[in-house]
Amino acid sequence: MRAGICDMVAVARIINATLVIPELDKRSLWQDSSNFSDVFDEDHFISSLENDVKVVKKLPKELASATKAFKHFRSWSGVDYYEEEIARLWDEYQIIRAAKSDSRLTNNNLPPDIQKLRCRACYQALRFAPKIEAMGKMLVDRMRSYGPYIALHLRFEKDMLAFSGCTHDLSPEEAEELKTIRENTTWWKVKEIDPVEQRTKGYCPLTPREVGVFLSALGFPSNTPIYIAAGEMYGGDSHMSDLLLRYPLLMNKEKLASVEELEPFINHSSQLAALDYIVSVESDIFIPSYSGNMARAVEGHRRFLGHRKTISPDRRTLVRIFDKIDQGRMKEGKNLSNRIIEIHRRRQGSPRKRKGPIAGTKGTDRFRSEEAFYVNPLPDCLCQKVS
């Protein structure tokens, strides 16, 4: 959501358009009725961008019956595409409606002023609504009362497992339930997934049990406060018991806040996710069990704020280690710990340039293989000093 909004700000600048405050998707899996102003500080967004792009809350009444173009912008497009193909629509239309907003701009090779505008939009203009900011700060303060804390983005929710086809550590009944969900969700195109192959390639989120082994091997003591940034865990306590045994100080929104305090946000998944986002960005260490949209956005924000420590698990290597432990061919202890620490020595959010495409890839695969702009918005988002 954040990336799509910020890309549309940049597109509006490129094609010299006034941007109407975006409508949020209300038909997605989460069935959230929130509007833009329920999640973000609308007035701050408009005023922060006034020197870059004109932003209005609604389409002006005089344009209600104006000619409108409904357009699917091409994925990962550069300035030329928008200046030549999209801007040409102004000859016939007064309004252009973007059907999608995600990944509409290329990650690299854009003019510096457009890249910096994406940064201003994402990290300065796009602030959460005041009630979310206040609640997020309160959750951070309550976590800090336990000491320095880890924010763990634990993607072990029903929708994630159903979409990815990952069933490791699940019962046959649970695996069948997830498969049924995938088959009945029309906009998920891939129905048949080999869960073993998926996990071997590192495409599955770590299970709560695997996360416990990982954290122990990294040397985190059992009294480490951990904030679970996620929705309801699939299978509940049955899958969380091992992690809870290792780390009793597992906290989440529901444990840190009262029912009354959380009541305004209940049934609004995007607002609840915004609370997790705030607690994750402000954490001492952020660890995602899967590199999904939320994890990538948080990692990029933490890089922008000074390369705050983010440990990205090497899932492909880790699953081979976990399998050896399960088979009795490897034991937890100092040797395992040294190995996992060494594997992750350079996966902790240290400064580096954004990764380009994988060599040999072409077309869409080339862009898809690049590191996304909002995962590592540097060096584009740094002020350049003249020596």
Side-chain angles (χ1 to χ4, degrees), residues 37-101:
S37 59
D38 296 319
V39 182
F40 302 108
D41 188 331
E42 195 171 65
D43 292 329
H44 176 77
F45 182 72
I46 293 171
S47 61
S48 296
L49 294 168
E50 62 185 0
N51 293 327
D52 298 297
V53 174
K54 183 179 179 182
V55 183
V56 295
K57 293 184 180 182
K58 293 181 179 179
L59 196 67
K61 289 182 179 179
E62 60 269 23
L63 290 177
S65 58
T67 53
K68 182 185 299 184
F70 188 72
K71 184 73 174 176
H72 277 78
F73 295 162
R74 195 175 66 202
S75 300
W76 295 295
S77 296
V79 169
D80 290 349
Y81 166 77
Y82 286 103
E83 288 181 340
E84 295 168 11
E85 188 168 330
I86 301 302
R88 197 185 304 146
L89 294 172
W90 294 135
D91 295 340
E92 297 182 46
Y93 303 96
Q94 291 178 275
I95 303 164
I96 301 172
R97 182 180 176 92
K100 280 190 171 186
S101 62

Side-chain angles (χ1 to χ4, degrees), residues 291-304:
S291 56
N293 291 328
M294 169 90 162
R296 292 197 292 266
V298 171
E299 179 183 350
H301 204 146
R302 289 171 66 84
R303 284 183 180 279
F304 178 78

Side-chain angles (χ1 to χ4, degrees), residues 135-148:
M135 186 66 181
K137 183 180 183 303
M138 188 182 77
L139 292 174
V140 170
D141 290 344
R142 289 179 183 178
M143 275 307 299
R144 291 227 182 279
S145 69
Y146 294 96

